[in-house]
Amino acid sequence: MALLLRFVLLCGVADFTRSLSITTPEQMIEKAKGETAYLPCKFTLSPEDQGPLDIEWLLSPADNQKVDQVIILYSGDKIYDDYYQDLKGRVHFTSNDLKSGDASINVTNLRLSDIGTYQCKVKKAPGVGNKKIQLTVLVKPSGIRCYVDGSEEIGNDFKLKCEPKEGSLPLQYEWQKLSNSQKTPPSWSTDMTSPVISIKNASTEYSGTYSCTVTNRVGSDQCQLRLNVVPPSNRAGTIAGAVVGILLALVLIGFIVFCCRKKRREEKYEKEVHHDIREDVPPPKSRTSTARSYIGSNHSSLGSMSPSNMEGYSKTQYNQVPSEDFERTPQSPTLPPAKFKYAYKTDDVTVV
C-alpha cells in the first residue's frame, strides 16, 4: 500500500513539473522617476497545456487603499492596455510574439504613483502560473544649491551649505576642494560627508572653490561655490556713511515738504483775498440813480415845508448837490435830452 501511494505521488510530481511554469524569479526593482522600468515575466509550457493562452498583469498600489488593478491583458490573440487610466499609454509588452514564452512589460515615464507590487499571471489550461515584482520609483537628486551662510571675513564663523531641491532618501553628500594649492583643514574631515560644513575662526587659507555632490541609489547631482575669506570691512566708516546718507535724505524730504506747504499757503492766501474783494465791496451805484434819488428826496422835503420854515434854508449853494448828480444819463440819438426839475430853498420860499 505504501509503495502504491509513493508511486502515485511521484506521478503527480512528474505531471506538475511538465505543466506551465514561470521561470523569472520574484524580485525588487528600483528606478528613477521619468525612466523606463523593465518587468520580466518569462514562462514555459508543457505538452499538456492545450487551452488558449491568457496573460494578465495586475498592480497592487503601495498605499493598500485600492484593489488590484488590471493594467494590461492578452486574451484571444488580442492585447488590451486601457484598463488602468493612470498607466494608459505607458505600459507595453516587450515581445511581439507572446506565445514564444515572454510576457515581460515596459512601464515608461515612471511616476511616484507607479510604486507598488506588479503580478504577472499566465494561464494555458490546465497550466497556471504567476510571479510578483516589487517596483520602487525614486527621485534623483536635482536642483542642488551651494551657498555661504554668514559673512566671509577673517575671524568670523560661517557655514557652507549644500541643499538639493528634490531627491529620494537616503542621500549621501561629498564635499571637495577643487583648488589643489591648499588643502582642507583636518577638522573638516567629519563635515565633508554632511550637507553643512561649519567653519570657525575663518582664515584666508579656507578660500577656494568647493564642490558638493549629492547621491542616492538612482542618481547624483553637483554644485559649486567660490569661498573668498577677506579682512574685516571698515564697519565704522560704513555706519558713518549710512548715517550721513539718512540725514541727507531727511533734509531733502524736509525741504520738499516745506516748499509744498509754502506753495499751499500762498494759494490759500490768494483765494481768501479774492473772496474778500467780491463779498465785502458793494457794487458802485449808477450816477443817474444817485442823482434821481437825491433830487427826489429834496422834492419831498421842500414840499413839506411851510413858509415859516424857509428861513433856515436861505441861500443854498449849488455845490451842495453831488457833482455826479448833474450828469445826465446818455440818451439815444433819436430822442430829445431828458429834462429834470431842480428845487432850491431860499430864505422865504422854495424855488422849483
Side-chain angles (χ1 to χ4, degrees), residues 294-323:
Y294 182 79
I295 293 169
S297 63
N298 285 340
H299 270 292
S300 61
S301 61
L302 290 174
S304 63
M305 288 184 178
S306 63
S308 61
N309 294 332
M310 290 295 195
E311 296 178 357
Y313 297 93
S314 61
K315 298 180 182 180
T316 303
Q317 302 298 323
Y318 289 97
N319 56 7
Q320 290 179 347
V321 180
S323 61

Side-chain angles (χ1 to χ4, degrees), residues 2-18:
L3 292 175
L4 180 60
L5 181 59
R6 185 177 298 177
F7 177 78
V8 171
L9 290 174
L10 290 174
C11 291
V13 171
D15 290 339
F16 178 78
T17 58
R18 289 195 301 269

Side-chain angles (χ1 to χ4, degrees), residues 197-215:
I197 296 179
S198 298
I199 298 177
K200 305 291 185 181
N201 192 21
S203 63
T204 55
E205 66 179 5
Y206 297 161
S207 299
T209 303
Y210 294 82
S211 70
C212 174
T213 303
V214 184
T215 307

Side-chain angles (χ1 to χ4, degrees), residues 269-279:
Y269 175 75
E270 291 177 359
K271 290 181 179 178
E272 290 178 351
V273 171
H274 184 66
H275 182 71
D276 292 342
I277 291 174
R278 288 186 301 172
E279 291 187 357

Side-chain angles (χ1 to χ4, degrees), residues 145-336:
R145 176 174 173 245
C146 294
Y147 64 97
V148 180
D149 184 9
S151 179
E152 305 172 43
E153 296 181 353
I154 296 175
N156 282 358
D157 298 341
F158 53 85
K159 297 178 181 180
L160 307 184
K161 292 188 175 182
C162 179
E163 297 179 352
K165 185 177 181 180
E166 61 179 2
S168 298
L169 301 175
L171 296 173
Q172 296 178 352
Y173 297 84
E174 182 181 2
W175 287 89
Q176 289 183 343
K177 188 174 184 181
L178 303 180
S179 303
N180 295 326
S181 58
Q182 296 176 348
K183 296 182 179 180
T184 58
S187 59
W188 290 16
S189 58
T190 56
D191 291 341
M192 297 302 284
T193 56
S194 67
V196 180
I197 296 179
S198 298
I199 298 177
K200 305 291 185 181
N201 192 21
S203 63
T204 55
E205 66 179 5
Y206 297 161
S207 299
T209 303
Y210 294 82
S211 70
C212 174
T213 303
V214 184
T215 307
N216 64 7
R217 294 196 296 267
V218 292
S220 63
D221 197 10
Q222 185 183 81
C223 64
Q224 294 183 2
L225 67 82
R226 173 67 185 178
L227 177 62
N228 187 23
V229 182
V230 297
S233 59
N234 186 1
R235 297 182 179 178
T238 303
I239 295 174
V243 171
V244 171
I246 293 173
L247 291 177
L248 290 176
L250 292 176
V251 171
L252 179 60
I253 293 172
F255 178 74
I256 294 174
V257 172
F258 172 77
C259 292
C260 293
R261 297 190 65 180
K262 182 179 179 182
K263 185 176 180 180
R264 290 182 180 178
R265 286 198 300 268
E266 291 176 353
E267 293 177 352
K268 183 178 180 182
Y269 175 75
E270 291 177 359
K271 290 181 179 178
E272 290 178 351
V273 171
H274 184 66
H275 182 71
D276 292 342
I277 291 174
R278 288 186 301 172
E279 291 187 357
D280 298 342
V281 179
K285 297 181 179 179
S286 65
R287 295 178 178 180
T288 303
S289 61
T290 304
R292 288 178 178 176
S293 61
Y294 182 79
I295 293 169
S297 63
N298 285 340
H299 270 292
S300 61
S301 61
L302 290 174
S304 63
M305 288 184 178
S306 63
S308 61
N309 294 332
M310 290 295 195
E311 296 178 357
Y313 297 93
S314 61
K315 298 180 182 180
T316 303
Q317 302 298 323
Y318 289 97
N319 56 7
Q320 290 179 347
V321 180
S323 61
E324 64 268 18
D325 293 345
F326 292 95
E327 295 182 9
R328 299 180 178 181
T329 304
Q331 301 295 329
S332 172
T334 60
L335 299 176

Side-chain angles (χ1 to χ4, degrees), residues 20 45 49 51-56 121-129:
L20 185 151
L45 300 174
D49 300 327
L53 179 63
D54 292 330
I55 300 174
E56 184 181 55
K121 288 185 176 182
V122 181
K123 178 180 179 182
K124 189 172 176 64
V128 178

